[in-house]
DNA sequence: CCTTACATGTAATCCGTTACATGATTAG
DNA sequence: CTAATCATGTAACGGATTACATGTAAGG
């Protein structure tokens, strides 16, 4: 539903081929959207059919040629119209939360071990975002326009990672003491 | 993929009919999962066919009868197996973030107005969760087991709301000053 | 040659959303 | 008898995931 618009934003920032876009969704855009290359190719095909983007074949040195996509004026209009829509809260669908809430119906020690692993993963991601911010936006107060928006969305990624770490840590802490000291919970 | 497991957790907490579950997903479970009644009915049907749950018809006073579902021992096993799986970070797919990052390709004032509305929505939700926490868990330190898990997931909902408010506020603040002081942008 | 990385796709399947359909019961 | 609420569904469509398919080019 909105992958098309995420692609329009990405392509307006810089024209790119399908795989390039898929890689961006793995890396720099990954903190607010994920997409596989299959998905990207299919949606790009539909967008080209509808005239939102055009493609041109670009030969490369020592690599197979690629199809670089760019946004058309129609695509610009479509994006501007979409951006003018009222914002709705993003739908929540957290398998992690389901697991945490249901932990007493399974083996809690296993869940807690997995929570620790997940915390480590979020810490790693947080460190990566911090490094990106320091490298790409050393002086945030000087930013405006697109660069400011990009920085602020990266800030959102950072804040979300911090929240996940705080929440999962609180969850683990609330369960571990009772688990270490009291003999009341046999399993 | 995990709606079935969310339903298993909900039904282990308390057996219920399809509409009851859909209402719970609108209310108390809504801060970590959403589902419409159509979805719930279809998945419940499949789960009953697979023997994860059983249903019994319950007559009601002054209302049509309902089909109450409960988890079978097979369903308990399925849930326990699923809970033992390693936790993966929840996939991110935020149309809000796409909008924020792409704002310069549309009308920024409109986006900022919608951001303010969204902040208000998150504040409302945050207040509702706070009230739920005060009403249902007045003394969190006394909790353990399922009740503790439910409380901690509600805590996660609260933390997420706070993060959304902080992030959107930061976004608006970073854009508004340039907008108020400079005479370049009349409105 | 064989493997690896690059590049673009198709097909099958499953999940989710939206619109529609049906019937019971109560309140007006 | 009509409208509103409760309750359970079906059907159609589109989006997303997973597995598979094809071909180019460099490196060992």
């Amino acid at each position: 539903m909105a992958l098309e618009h995420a692609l329009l934003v990405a392509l307006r920032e810089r024209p790119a081929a399908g795989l390039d876009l898929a890689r961006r969704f793995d890396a720099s855009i990954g903190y607010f959207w994920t997409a596989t290359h299959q998905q990207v190719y299919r949606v790009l095909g539909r967008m080209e059919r509808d005239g939102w983007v055009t493609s041109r074949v670009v030969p490369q040195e020592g690599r197979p040629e690629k199809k670089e996509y760019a946004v058309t004026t129609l695509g610009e209009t479509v994006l501007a119209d979409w951006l003018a829509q009222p914002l709705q809260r993003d739908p929540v669908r957290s398998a992690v939360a389901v697991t945490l809430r249901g932990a007493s119906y399974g083996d809690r020690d296993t869940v807690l071990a997995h929570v620790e692993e997940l915390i480590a993963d979020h810490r790693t991601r947080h460190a990566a975002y911090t490094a990106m911010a320091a490298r790409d936006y050393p002086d945030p107060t000087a930013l405006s326009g697109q660069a400011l928006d990009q920085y602020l969305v990266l800030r959102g990624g950072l804040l979300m990672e911090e929240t996940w770490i705080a929440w999962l840590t609180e969850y683990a802490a609330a369960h571990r003491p009772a688990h270490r000291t009291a003999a009341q919970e046999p399993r």
Side-chain angles (χ1 to χ4, degrees), chain A residues 39-54:
Chain A
Q39 234 183 313
V40 169
Y41 281 122
R42 195 151 30 90
V43 173
L44 279 176
R46 190 174 60 222
M47 288 166 74
E48 186 172 26
R49 172 173 58 76
D50 295 343
W52 297 10
V53 295
T54 47

Side-chain angles (χ1 to χ4, degrees), chain A residues 26-146:
Chain A
D26 270 352
S28 69
I29 300 183
Y31 49 86
F32 69 94
W33 203 275
T34 51
T36 61
H37 76 272
Q38 292 93 333
Q39 234 183 313
V40 169
Y41 281 122
R42 195 151 30 90
V43 173
L44 279 176
R46 190 174 60 222
M47 288 166 74
E48 186 172 26
R49 172 173 58 76
D50 295 343
W52 297 10
V53 295
T54 47
S55 66
R56 66 189 184 96
V57 172
V58 178
Q60 296 183 107
E61 290 294 314
R63 280 193 281 183
E65 55 187 20
K66 65 178 181 181
K67 271 168 75 179
E68 192 174 85
Y69 290 86
V71 180
T72 62
T73 49
L74 174 59
E76 290 177 6
T77 306
V78 168
L79 177 57
D81 287 351
W82 183 78
L83 289 168
Q85 297 301 120
L87 283 171
Q88 290 183 314
R89 56 169 55 234
D90 293 315
V92 189
R93 197 161 285 140
S94 170
V96 172
V98 174
T99 304
L100 299 187
R101 174 140 169 175
S104 60
Y105 307 114
D107 184 65
R108 186 177 297 282
D109 286 351
T110 304
V111 171
L112 285 172
H114 292 153
V115 166
E116 295 295 344
E117 291 166 19
L118 190 57
I119 291 173
D121 185 57
H122 281 288
R123 278 194 206 285
T124 303
R125 195 66 74 93
H126 184 269
Y129 293 169
T130 303
M132 281 173 61
R135 175 169 50 89
D136 298 334
Y137 312 99
D139 182 11
T141 58
L143 299 171
S144 69
Q146 301 163 33

